[in-house]
């Protein structure tokens, strides 16, 4: 069964807290949480992963399904307005479980770490984007 792991981070969340206050920051987290619950299926997992990060596990979601989900999630996140003149943006890091990964006893931790690595690549590449983990093979 294809499974994708997504780590999601709110772009510039500290600025939201600093400019509009922690109460508004908490409201933004709640709004994004509601979106995540609404756009995922009952079989998927949605969890707050600390601070302004979330973890989503999509079951029976191949690469194309996951790309479509991430695109939709970016669109939905933009509907959140931290203020009247701003919209929310997020970064998403994705790892897709490969059959050969199933031999490792720490396969879940490995997938989350891969998604996290892709998330940081998204943040370092301009934010408001999705990056998929790709194994770097030395020449």
């Amino acid at each position: 069964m294809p499974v994708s792991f997504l780590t999601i981070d709110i772009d510039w969340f500290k600025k939201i807290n600093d400019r509009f206050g922690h109460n508004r920051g908490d409201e933004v987290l709640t709004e994004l949480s509601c979106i995540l619950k609404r756009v995922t299926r009952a079989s998927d997992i949605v969890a707050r992963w600390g601070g302004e990060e979330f973890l989503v596990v999509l079951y029976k979601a191949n690469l194309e399904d996951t790309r479509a989900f991430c695109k939709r999630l970016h669109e939905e996140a933009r509907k959140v307005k931290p203020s009247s003149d701003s919209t929310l943006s997020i970064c998403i890091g994705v790892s897709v479980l490969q059959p050969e990964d199933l031999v490792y006893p720490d396969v879940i931790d490995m997938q989350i770490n891969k998604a996290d690595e892709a998330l940081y690549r998204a943040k370092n590449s301009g934010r408001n984007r999705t990056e998929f983990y790709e194994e770097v093979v030395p020449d």
Side-chain angles (χ1 to χ4, degrees), residues 4-30:
S4 293
F5 291 77
L6 288 67
T7 52
I8 302 161
D9 187 67
I10 296 174
D11 292 336
W12 312 114
F13 186 71
K14 183 180 180 335
K15 290 183 180 181
I16 294 170
N17 276 338
D18 290 348
R19 184 169 175 208
F20 307 112
H22 290 274
N23 285 341
R24 183 62 190 129
D26 288 347
E27 291 168 357
V28 167
L29 287 170
T30 300

Side-chain angles (χ1 to χ4, degrees), residues 18-50:
D18 290 348
R19 184 169 175 208
F20 307 112
H22 290 274
N23 285 341
R24 183 62 190 129
D26 288 347
E27 291 168 357
V28 167
L29 287 170
T30 300
E31 289 177 54
L32 183 58
S33 298
C34 290
I35 288 170
L36 290 169
K37 287 171 60 176
R38 188 178 75 243
V39 300
T40 54
R41 302 161 295 185
S43 61
D44 299 327
I45 295 173
V46 176
R48 186 161 174 198
W49 199 246

Side-chain angles (χ1 to χ4, degrees), residues 7 49 53 93-94 111-121:
T7 52
W49 199 246
E53 285 192 37
V94 180
Q111 293 306 309
I112 293 169
N113 288 336
K114 288 178 180 181
D116 215 33
E117 185 176 317
L119 172 68
Y120 281 96
R121 198 168 54 246

Side-chain angles (χ1 to χ4, degrees), residues 72-89:
R72 180 173 176 214
L73 187 52
H74 280 287
E75 291 168 0
E76 292 295 319
R78 279 191 287 275
K79 294 177 182 177
V80 176
K81 299 192 173 291
S83 70
S84 60
D85 64 345
S86 66
T87 58
L88 192 68
S89 68

